[in-house]
């Protein structure tokens, strides 16, 4: 099924140029993997970026920068982020196509509901996580204090603005206050990235937030 909700052209271009924060890029790429239209757009931006680079006159590198580059090449491989681990037997819960994600421990925050942090390659203050919510469940009413990007990986949910199924991309910020409802026919798994925690609007949400870490 082709997704109905897509990232903006700006986001796709930033992702192709490698200037997007790593978690956000991961969420955009999760959409691209399921959306031939946006994948074609990303390919166009990548080739455009390559052509621009080729057209640039060669830049003079300073001696210090050259030394730093040599030191980086000589340094041992990048250390894994603290607490991160590669996919292993107990990552069997990861959705298809994301088996290689480095994830933290799953936290169960209710029957059929878990959240797990996703480790990104670079140091980053953003929060990246996988969230699974059981069929028919309603998320506590909340808003967003920063920009949040979500890609639905499995199942679907609905809010006042529409219905979001596999591959759909959702961008939210502090102007969006909602209480998503998961479809009754199956659990919903989403990959999300945010640069600030959610702001819970009701007492149930405020109670669960510290356990969920989101
Ligand atoms: Zn798309």
């Amino acid at each position: 099924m082709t997704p109905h909700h897509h990232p903006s052209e700006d986001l796709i271009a930033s992702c192709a140029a490698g200037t997007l924060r790593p978690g956000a890029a991961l969420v955009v790429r999760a959409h691209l993997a399921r959306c031939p239209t946006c994948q074609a757009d990303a390919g166009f931006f990548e080739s455009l970026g390559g052509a621009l680079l080729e057209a640039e006159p060669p830049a003079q590198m300073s001696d210090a920068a050259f030394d730093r580059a040599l030191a980086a090449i000589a340094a041992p491989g990048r250390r894994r982020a603290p607490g991160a681990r590669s996919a292993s037997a107990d990552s069997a819960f990861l959705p298809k196509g994301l088996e290689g994600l480095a994830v933290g421990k799953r936290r169960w925050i209710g029957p059929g509901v878990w959240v797990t942090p996703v480790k990104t390659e670079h140091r980053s203050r953003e929060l990246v996580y996988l969230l699974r919510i059981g069929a028919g469940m309603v998320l506590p009413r909340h808003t967003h204090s920063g920009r949040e990007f979500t890609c639905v990986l499995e199942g679907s949910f609905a809010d006042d603005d529409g219905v979001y199924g596999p591959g759909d991309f959702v961008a939210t910020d502090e102007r969006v206050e909602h209480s998503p409802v998961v479809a009754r026919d199956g659990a919903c798994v989403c990959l999300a990235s945010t640069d600030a925690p959610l702001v819970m609007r009701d007492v149930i949400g405020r109670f669960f937030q510290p356990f969920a870490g989101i």
Side-chain angles (χ1 to χ4, degrees):
M1 197 169 73
T2 314
H4 297 291
H5 301 273
H6 309 268
S8 67
E9 255 189 9
D10 279 356
L11 269 179
I12 295 173
S14 306
C15 185
T19 55
L20 211 53
R21 52 188 166 86
L26 196 64
V27 181
V28 172
R29 286 203 301 271
H31 172 82
L32 295 183
R34 292 160 177 78
C35 180
T37 312
C38 291
Q39 204 169 52
D41 288 349
F44 168 74
F45 286 122
E46 275 165 16
S47 57
L48 192 68
L52 286 175
L53 276 180
E54 279 171 26
E56 282 280 304
Q60 185 68 46
M61 199 180 206
S62 73
D63 288 350
F66 186 63
D67 288 347
R68 279 198 301 275
L70 282 183
I73 292 165
R78 179 183 290 148
R79 274 197 214 141
R80 195 176 287 167
R85 60 173 174 72
S86 302
S88 60
D90 60 343
S91 64
F93 65 88
L94 288 173
K96 202 165 172 276
L98 293 175
E99 294 87 350
L101 271 192
V103 293
K105 207 174 171 199
R106 258 190 302 179
R107 296 182 200 177
W108 290 86
I109 49 178
V113 184
W114 54 252
V115 63
T116 180
V118 175
K119 315 290 179 183
T120 49
E121 287 173 35
H122 310 284
R123 279 174 190 274
S124 168
R125 288 184 60 201
E126 65 182 337
L127 187 64
V128 190
Y129 57 93
L130 279 172
L131 177 66
R132 181 217 194 256
I133 303 160
M137 293 189 78
V138 182
L139 232 66
R141 193 158 191 87
H142 63 272
T143 186
H144 308 259
S145 53
R147 289 191 87 194
E148 182 180 298
F149 303 117
T150 302
C151 182
V152 180
L153 303 174
E154 292 175 1
S156 67
F157 74 86
D159 65 9
D160 298 340
D161 292 328
V163 179
Y164 305 91
D168 277 333
F169 184 91
V170 194
T172 45
D173 58 23
E174 65 283 350
R175 290 169 296 181
V176 176
E177 183 174 320
H178 62 172
S179 180
V181 183
V182 173
R184 291 179 177 277
D185 58 355
C188 185
V189 180
C190 292
L191 175 65
S193 147
T194 179
D195 49 14
L198 303 185
V199 180
M200 293 299 177
R201 288 297 191 215
D202 62 23
V203 68
I204 297 174
R206 283 195 290 274
F207 177 76
F208 281 113
Q209 192 168 25
F211 297 101
I214 57 178

